[in-house]
Amino acid sequence: MKAAHGRLISEEGLRHDGRRPDEHRPVKMEVGVLSNADGSAMVEFGRTKVLAAVYGPREPPQRFMLLPDRAILRVRYHMAPFSTSDRKSPAPSRREVELSKVIREALEPVVISELYPRTAIDVFVEVLQADGGTRTAGVTAASLALADAGIPMRALVAGVAVGKVDGVLVLDVDEVEDSAGEADLPVAGAPDLGLITLLQLNGVLSEEEFEQALDMAWRAIEDLVRQEKEVLRRKYQGVSRA
Ligand code: ADP
């Protein structure tokens, strides 16, 4: 549905794609999608599609990087050159380097790395199709792929971005809303630990808007983690529980 007067929120209060402000895009999650990897997952938030592959714990070629008391977590976030309609250079961009670090920091608190000293756990996050929210879909896919690889974790993590468009807080911003909106707040965390592991803010929110946006994100993250558990349960127990 088209937004009224070219704005991003219609007169009926709906978004440019017909969603309500607090509505997530359709979510799809699948684990074990790559047989070569130790663990893998595909996550879709609407048109955003992200694949995560995990290898390890293993001994990497550069042994000088290893830590005596725990495994190191290495994360590579990459956008496939075909993932956007604009041409995206295949060379690693500063944004990809930043997002690799952001995603690593979002996962590190939940991985029980002390169990595997002198090893590396490698996480590859590959964006196949980008339409906003790739870092949060990436964290969600990586969490599933780590669990699928059997890496011991304190809890699962998931992420979502809340934005502000036409003065309205909206859940799970897509690319149109991200580029035209007034603010973008990507959040990731582990509800089972009550822990936020990623929080960034691009743009400006009042204190009250920030609190509301965080609440909105947190509810969505709780729901995403419930879905992660369901997908993992289905694969490993062959049963589905409501
Ligand atoms: P996120 O994907 O986590 O929302 P950004 O806010 O940096 O991260 O990007 C928003 C969206 O802008 C991306 O999901 C993607 O759709 C688009 N985008 C980002 N970088 C590029 C790029 N180099 N070329 C084309 N589109 C891009």
Side-chain angles (χ1 to χ4, degrees):
M1 117 166 234
K2 279 252 174 292
H5 319 302
R7 285 159 40 104
L8 288 170
I9 301 289
S10 72
E11 278 156 13
E12 301 85 52
L14 297 178
R15 295 155 72 179
H16 77 104
D17 59 359
R19 278 187 287 159
R20 294 184 315 275
D22 64 348
E23 193 175 337
H24 204 286
R25 287 174 287 183
V27 176
K28 277 196 202 159
M29 294 182 187
E30 205 181 334
V31 284
V33 293
L34 301 172
S35 48
N36 279 357
D38 295 321
S40 59
M42 172 83 104
V43 167
E44 297 182 25
F45 289 177
R47 288 167 8 133
T48 289
K49 281 192 192 195
V50 180
L51 184 65
V54 168
Y55 288 86
R58 64 181 178 180
E59 195 174 300
Q62 307 97 317
R63 300 195 51 199
F64 66 89
M65 301 171 66
L66 297 178
L67 297 174
D69 57 340
R70 64 195 143 98
I72 51 162
L73 189 64
R74 302 191 297 183
V75 175
R76 187 191 86 143
Y77 164 100
H78 179 248
M79 266 175 63
F82 54 81
S83 63
T84 64
S85 40
D86 302 344
R87 184 185 176 277
K88 189 244 157 216
S89 162
S93 63
R94 281 185 58 167
R95 176 178 170 275
E96 286 168 315
V97 173
E98 182 213 324
L99 292 198
S100 299
K101 176 176 181 282
V102 163
I103 295 172
R104 174 170 54 76
E105 289 173 352
L107 299 167
E108 261 171 346
V110 297
V111 173
I112 310 180
S113 53
E114 311 86 88
L115 294 177
Y116 302 104
R118 307 194 59 76
T119 66
I121 299 168
D122 291 318
V123 180
F124 297 90
V125 173
E126 194 68 25
V127 178
L128 302 181
Q129 189 161 279
D131 186 25
T134 63
R135 79 193 65 196
T136 48
V139 169
T140 309
S143 165
L144 273 172
L146 283 163
D148 185 44
I151 308 281
M153 293 159 83
R154 294 180 178 88
L156 292 165
V157 290
V160 72
V162 171
K164 182 179 166 189
V165 294
D166 291 345
V168 178
L169 294 175
V170 293
L171 182 69
D172 183 31
V173 279
D174 66 11
E175 188 178 327
V176 169
E177 293 172 326
D178 184 76
S179 51
E182 294 114 69
D184 176 31
L185 179 82
V187 186
D192 291 337
L193 300 175
L195 190 67
I196 292 175
T197 62
L198 182 163
L199 183 66
Q200 296 181 288
L201 174 61
N202 192 3
V204 178
L205 292 176
S206 69
E207 216 175 305
E208 197 189 340
E209 284 169 340
F210 176 77
E211 294 290 338
Q212 281 175 11
L214 202 54
D215 272 2
M216 211 174 184
W218 196 249
R219 276 195 301 273
I221 288 169
E222 285 175 334
D223 193 47
L224 288 165
V225 166
R226 266 194 293 275
Q227 294 184 55
E228 285 185 38
K229 289 180 185 171
E230 184 58 30
V231 168
L232 290 164
R233 220 177 259 137
R234 229 181 286 145
K235 178 169 177 204
Y236 288 100
Q237 293 183 347
V239 290
S240 143
R241 261 195 352 217

